[in-house]
Amino acid sequence: MAVTDGRQARRHELRREMILRAAAEEFALQGFVNATLDRIGERIGLSKASLYYYVNSKEELLAVILEQVTSRIAEEAAQVEGSAEERLRAFVRAHVTVGATSVEGQVLGENVNVLLDREAHERFARARQKHEQRLAALIHEGVEAGEFRSLPVGPAVKLMFGALNSIPVWFRPDGRLTLEQLADEVVGWMLEGLAGPPTDPHSTT
């Protein structure tokens, strides 16, 4: 019985992964507002009714994708240790790379308006806030250590993510800059904006 239950759980998990992948493709292509559960199911041969066995709603699918892609960015960035500047550099590079090379990253870029809506799904808000807090913590640490100048951290985080989340929308692999070159440029711009002697670290918000 235990073996059978394990196999069923694994099949359920594999099917759910397929659904998430299909949802990511649908959201990236159509946008969240225009995407439908019917088309998501069609991509993997499931009816809309069958989808409800695995997920509760379109909102749940987008929330899970958002949680997964932001966690992946955080995990890749966490491989680098060192100063706040070095870890911020790794965070920005991970965000650029994951965003531009994965369909889930494209979902993040293409659906920012949905994720930032004041009436957005509560789970969207939690995932977004957690991701923003990671970046805010790095900036705060850099200010306290004298690596970055004193600045209002909240607006800085919003501006930085606005730039980062737009990259999957306009980046083209055959463009003037390779992805690695683009990541270097973006890191340079952002660190230049943070550079300078601190004034009053405790004034950050």
Side-chain angles (χ1 to χ4, degrees), residues 67-126:
E67 290 164 351
Q68 288 181 340
V69 71
T70 53
S71 293
R72 180 180 166 191
I73 291 168
E75 288 168 4
E76 291 197 12
Q79 296 177 22
V80 174
E81 299 179 352
S83 66
E85 179 179 329
E86 290 169 330
R87 285 179 287 121
L88 181 93
R89 186 184 296 274
F91 184 93
V92 172
R93 181 179 290 279
H95 205 296
V96 171
T97 303
V98 172
T101 59
S102 68
V103 67
E104 292 82 7
Q106 187 177 351
V107 170
L108 179 60
E110 293 282 359
N111 294 280
V112 169
N113 61 324
V114 175
L115 302 174
L116 294 180
D117 192 298
R118 291 183 182 275
E119 302 299 322
H121 193 279
E122 181 181 351
R123 194 166 172 181
F124 297 170
R126 288 200 304 271

Side-chain angles (χ1 to χ4, degrees), residues 142-143 146-150 191-199:
V143 172
E147 297 177 51
F148 306 143
R149 65 184 177 85
S150 178
L191 288 176
E192 184 177 349
L194 294 171
T199 53

Side-chain angles (χ1 to χ4, degrees), residues 11 16 18 24 42 53 64 76-77 79 85 90-91 101 104 107 121 135 139 147 151 158 165 168 175 189 194 198 205:
R11 283 198 296 269
R16 186 173 168 83
M18 291 172 60
E42 287 172 3
Y53 178 70
V64 173
E76 291 197 12
Q79 296 177 22
E85 179 179 329
F91 184 93
T101 59
E104 292 82 7
V107 170
H121 193 279
L135 179 56
I139 297 175
E147 297 177 51
L151 78 169
K158 297 292 186 184
N165 289 334
W189 297 332
L194 294 171
T205 58

